[in-house]
């Protein structure tokens, strides 16, 4: 038993805390966010500002009214209901300036809470309402990220999304775009949108193109549909990571496969309860997965729509699942290990993050 524990945990000298960790501790923790949507993570002030500058009617002209419309953090009927909120944010994300700004501010918001690295995902096709080309749409976001990375000293990457409920042809177009921007800001390809009734294998051609160009794949699966969706993502579409994987627990054999192959799960706790992927936080399998040794990571999904931050997600996980200092270190390390970054850089990043996390845990633990 002792040996098994040592194998998947990181086997370090962590002090026992004299009092519980507070929110400030989790804010200082060097974090990653591998699953965050650009169109669900804008600042409300920016949405209002862009709407007024660009003359877009969003049905709200004050923060109060906008909040009433969006109801950030609301419990939804389903994933499809949750996704409706994006119609509003997308209205103001149809110009180069707005896309640049959304990307730039996302880096700033992440840097403020010590997220060291994040991967932002979006589907350029959803930003063509005013005639922008998908190339311009991608360039605007990459430029916003690059400029902010220089200003705030953290790193990021873009994941291009195909959309399940649009069409396989559009997914193919998004895959071609991801290939064109490989090593120029894009680090991966994903399939997002309505999961129920829209199987990933319909988009197989796009995955073939992505994989034959040696590009990373993550797929939303096991959120609004069962383990079969995860099975397809892995075995038909070649996913290297799974977005959510909340319902993986329903198939023990597949769960073992995911664990044996160290396939990362991008867990988004608050979002999963809001979309009813998990009926309550108590029913969420996060801790069950963590105890089994699965490579679980914590992520926001949507900072605005879900009304969360990485600090909030860690603090929530800590309080709700009574995480130990070793659990916290493991989840932080899992985030770095699962990142779509070159191994040469990852080695350094891993060593640095591990050391800083241990120091922080021990420093906090000694405070009475
Ligand atoms: Zn998502």
């Amino acid at each position: 038993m002792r040996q098994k524990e040592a194998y998947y945990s990181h086997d370090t000298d962590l002090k026992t805390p004299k009092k519980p960790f507070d929110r400030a501790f989790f804010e200082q923790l060097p974090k990653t966010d591998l699953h965050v949507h650009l169109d669900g993570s804008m600042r409300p002030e920016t949405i209002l500002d862009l709407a007024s500058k660009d003359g877009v009617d969003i049905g709200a002209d004050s923060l109060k009214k906008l909040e009433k419309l969006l109801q950030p953090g609301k419990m939804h009927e389903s994933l499809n209901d949750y996704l409706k909120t994006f119609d509003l944010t997308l209205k103001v994300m149809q110009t180069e300036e707005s896309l640049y700004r959304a990307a730039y501010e996302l880096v700033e918001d992440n840097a403020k809470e010590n997220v060291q690295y994040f991967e932002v995902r979006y589907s350029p096709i959803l930003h063509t309402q005013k005639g922008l080309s998908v190339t311009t749409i991608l360039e605007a976001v990459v430029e916003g990220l690059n400029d902010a990375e220089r200003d705030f000293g953290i790193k990021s990457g873009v994941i291009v999304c195909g959309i399940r409920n649009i069409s396989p042809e559009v997914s193919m177009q998004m895959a071609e775009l991801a290939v064109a921007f490989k090593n120029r800001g894009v680090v991966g390809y994903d399939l997002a949108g309505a999961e129920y009734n829209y199987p990933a294998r319909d988009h197989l051609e796009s995955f073939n193109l992505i994989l034959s160009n040696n590009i990373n794949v993550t797929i939303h699966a096991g959120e609004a549909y069962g383990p079969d969706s995860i099975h397809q993502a892995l075995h038909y579409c070649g996913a290297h990571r799974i977005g959510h994987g909340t319902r993986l627990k329903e198939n023990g054999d597949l769960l073992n496969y995911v664990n044996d192959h160290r396939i990362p799960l991008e867990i988004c706790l608050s979002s999963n309860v809001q979309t009813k992927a998990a009926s309550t936080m108590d029913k969420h399998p996060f801790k069950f997965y963590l105890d089994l040794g699965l490579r679980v990571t914590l992520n926001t999904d949507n900072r605005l729509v879900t009304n969360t931050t990485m600090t909030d997600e860690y603090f929530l996980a800590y309080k709700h699942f009574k995480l130990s200092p070793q659990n916290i270190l493991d989840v932080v390390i899992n985030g770095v290990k699962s990142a779509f970054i070159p191994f040469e850089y990852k080695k350094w990043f891993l060593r640095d993050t591990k050391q800083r996390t241990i120091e922080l845990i021990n420093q906090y633990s000694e405070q009475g």
Side-chain angles (χ1 to χ4, degrees), residues 3 13 34 70 81 100 104 160 172 191 194 211 229 231 237 248 264 293 299 303 329-330 339 350:
Q3 217 174 1
D13 256 344
L34 305 180
L70 284 172
D81 187 33
Y100 175 93
Y104 187 93
V160 173
M172 194 59 186
L191 196 57
L211 290 168
S229 180
H231 185 274
C237 309
L248 176 64
N299 311 275
R303 296 172 73 97
L329 177 63
D330 285 347
L350 201 55

Side-chain angles (χ1 to χ4, degrees), residues 35-37 121 190 192 220 223 243-244 266 268 271 301-302:
H35 190 131
V36 56
H37 294 262
R121 62 186 76 196
D190 169 40
H220 281 76
E223 182 187 17
H244 303 293
E266 303 156 4
C268 311
S271 162
D301 208 7
N302 295 287

Side-chain angles (χ1 to χ4, degrees), residues 12-30:
T12 28
D13 256 344
L14 290 173
K15 297 201 166 72
T16 309
K18 289 184 184 153
K19 61 173 190 191
F21 294 130
D22 56 11
R23 196 177 183 282
F25 165 82
F26 291 98
E27 200 169 78
Q28 284 180 58
L29 206 59

Side-chain angles (χ1 to χ4, degrees), residues 85-96:
T85 321
F86 293 79
D87 293 344
L88 190 151
T89 60
L90 283 167
K91 276 188 187 168
V92 298
M93 300 178 80
Q94 303 296 331
T95 62
E96 275 181 80

Side-chain angles (χ1 to χ4, degrees), residues 88 261 295 339 346:
L88 190 151
H261 289 267
R295 188 164 286 173
K346 196 183 278 190

Side-chain angles (χ1 to χ4, degrees), residues 284-335:
H284 199 290
F286 168 75
K287 187 62 169 34
F288 169 69
Y289 292 163
L290 185 64
D291 289 341
L292 281 176
L294 267 85
R295 188 164 286 173
V296 286
T297 63
L298 284 175
N299 311 275
T300 56
D301 208 7
N302 295 287
R303 296 172 73 97
L304 171 65
V305 177
T306 284
N307 190 26
T308 195
T309 61
M310 275 315 305
T311 305
D312 291 334
E313 292 301 302
Y314 265 94
F315 197 30
L316 171 72
Y318 169 69
K319 284 189 296 186
H320 200 91
F321 300 104
K322 303 190 170 38
L323 301 185
S324 67
Q326 184 66 58
N327 287 152
I328 296 167
L329 177 63
D330 285 347
V331 176
V332 167
I333 295 289
N334 283 348

